[in-house]
Amino acid sequence: ERQVKSVLQQLNGDYREILILREYKDFSYRQIAEKLGLSIDQVKVNLYRARLRFRQLYERSDKNEV
């Protein structure tokens, strides 16, 4: 849990916000699009990129803790 929060803080603000809306607040793509003023396609692209970056940072931090 603490490691997840730490990695979230390392993401840029846009990626952090979109991940929180989707994964923690359970917003639909449509709800995220409306809240952020994006198209649904752009929400999907940004979520993909945010998840990819999160995974990279998480794996890097996991190696550092071993």
Side-chain angles (χ1 to χ4, degrees):
E1 175 77 25
R2 191 174 68 172
Q3 187 177 1
V4 169
K5 288 182 180 180
S6 174
V7 172
L8 278 173
Q9 290 304 314
Q10 294 176 53
L11 291 174
N12 78 41
D14 293 338
Y15 286 172
R16 182 172 47 250
E17 182 176 21
I18 205 165
L19 273 178
I20 289 171
L21 290 174
R22 181 68 178 168
E23 306 300 339
Y24 286 97
K25 297 188 176 183
D26 205 28
F27 275 40
S28 68
Y29 291 142
R30 182 179 307 278
Q31 289 171 314
I32 295 170
E34 290 172 1
K35 180 165 181 63
L36 301 181
L38 302 171
S39 70
I40 291 176
D41 286 339
Q42 191 61 54
V43 168
K44 291 177 182 180
V45 168
N46 287 357
L47 267 171
Y48 171 81
R49 291 176 180 167
R51 287 174 176 147
L52 182 64
R53 184 66 180 139
F54 179 90
R55 190 174 307 116
Q56 291 169 340
L57 292 170
Y58 187 86
E59 288 172 356
R60 186 179 308 152
S61 71
D62 198 34
K63 288 177 185 176
N64 291 337
E65 288 189 13
V66 172

